Amino acid sequence: MSGAAFASAANGRKAIFITGAASGMGLETARLFAAQGWFVGAFDVNQIGLDRLRDELGADNCLARRLDVTDREDYRAALDEFAAATGGTLDLLYNNAGIGRGGPFADQPWDGVLAVVNVNFVGVLTGIHLAIPLLKATPGSLCFTTSSSSATYGMPMIAVYSATKHAVKGLTEALAIELKPYGVRVADVLPALIDTPILPEGAAANAPKQGVFRAIPPREVAETVWEAYHSDRLHWYVPRELVRLDHMATLEPERTRDAMAAGTLFATIDADVAAATAVPVEATAG
């Protein structure tokens, strides 16, 4: 399809560029925004999933293209195609693509370590760096990234994944200040246990049925992205009570470490929330 055809498909609608759009949170976000009348740019390494999404949304409502976020020139080309589709606007950049590797850090193969860093952080850097001109050119734009509950306190057995998500959170805070004079908002979402393909097999089924680390459907994250576009809030927590872990990790890092090592952290957080010892969730969380 030509750039002119893409532009006709966008037809002046607001537009969202989503990485990791073929499954999980990205897929649900694509569905929600399309249902709200937005033009959707859906990007992923999973071509089969993208083809299914294009069939579901309709070719006139989306640009579905394979993208490796670790390939800067491929990313540049994808943004160029998207800009041709929208007439040079980008209302919402959703940096969602990510991978996970579990196990003790000392046992991780080095190429696996670098893969997590390159997808989860370098890919985010690349996308934002290339998209800033489009974001600046679009009034009210939002640069939004998937961070993680593991960006509140470093999580054992996913140390590198956790480190990349801490980096995303810090980048979000810094760029929110840098880009504010241009009218570009920057924010992130910190999900806990979301029932997506990135989880180990059986993790969602074996998760607690209640509490902060219950398994949550990815649709809740998509709804958070929608809410974030209509807000100026910086960090969004899914579920909302996850903000307690962020407070605890900041104010009581040794207590957090010891509770995590003892396997009592999640129960501690749930008890604190139940006892309303945290700052009221409604005042702080997304």
Side-chain angles (χ1 to χ4, degrees):
M1 187 179 295
S2 68
F6 283 146
S8 176
N11 196 29
R13 289 174 284 178
K14 289 185 180 295
I16 181 172
F17 185 111
I18 308 170
T19 63
S23 64
M25 298 180 293
L27 174 62
E28 291 301 326
T29 300
R31 287 169 168 163
L32 188 153
F33 276 75
Q36 294 293 334
W38 284 49
F39 182 79
V40 175
F43 302 87
D44 204 298
V45 292
N46 178 358
Q47 186 64 58
I48 293 175
L50 289 175
D51 291 343
R52 290 172 179 163
L53 179 60
R54 182 191 296 109
D55 291 343
E56 177 183 339
L57 301 186
D60 290 341
N61 298 316
C62 67
L63 163 60
R65 178 195 188 279
R66 189 183 188 282
L67 169 62
D68 176 357
V69 297
T70 68
D71 184 334
R72 183 175 176 84
E73 292 312 309
D74 191 29
Y75 214 135
R76 188 193 307 276
L79 280 166
D80 286 346
E81 289 184 31
F82 180 84
T86 65
T89 62
L90 172 55
D91 295 279
L92 203 165
L93 171 67
Y94 183 22
N95 309 287
N96 173 64
I99 61 173
R101 299 284 190 275
F105 175 64
D107 296 340
Q108 296 298 302
W110 190 243
D111 59 349
V113 168
L114 293 182
V116 172
V117 173
N118 285 331
V119 173
N120 293 4
F121 187 52
V122 177
V124 171
L125 290 174
T126 298
I128 297 175
H129 194 254
L130 292 172
I132 283 175
L134 291 174
L135 292 166
K136 286 182 177 179
T138 309
S141 63
L142 171 64
C143 176
F144 196 72
T145 304
T146 297
S147 182
S148 168
S149 59
S150 68
T152 56
Y153 195 92
M155 299 286 182
M157 309 302 285
I158 52 169
V160 178
Y161 177 88
S162 182
T164 62
K165 296 305 184 176
H166 274 79
V168 161
K169 189 181 181 201
L171 181 71
T172 296
E173 292 168 354
L175 293 184
I177 299 167
E178 287 191 21
L179 297 179
K180 189 176 182 65
Y182 302 97
V184 178
R185 293 167 295 138
V186 185
D188 58 21
V189 60
L190 291 84
L193 190 67
I194 310 300
D195 189 2
T196 70
I198 199 173
L199 292 181
E201 185 175 354
N206 295 324
K209 302 306 178 187
Q210 296 180 335
V212 69
F213 276 88
R214 63 191 181 272
I216 294 173
R219 177 75 180 191
E220 289 194 26
V221 176
E223 291 169 353
T224 299
V225 181
W226 178 257
E227 189 176 356
Y229 179 75
H230 297 89
S231 171
D232 194 35
R233 185 173 293 158
L234 185 64
H235 299 305
W236 296 79
Y237 299 85
V238 180
R240 295 188 176 200
E241 60 266 32
L242 181 64
V243 71
R244 173 55 189 153
L245 176 56
D246 216 346
H247 292 165
M248 183 176 170
T250 300
L251 300 175
E252 304 174 276
E254 292 80 17
R255 180 189 179 208
T256 306
R257 175 200 62 201
D258 294 345
M260 190 176 297
T264 60
L265 177 66
F266 302 155
T268 298
I269 296 168
D270 290 338
D272 285 350
V273 170
T277 58
V279 175
V281 169
E282 293 80 5
T284 59

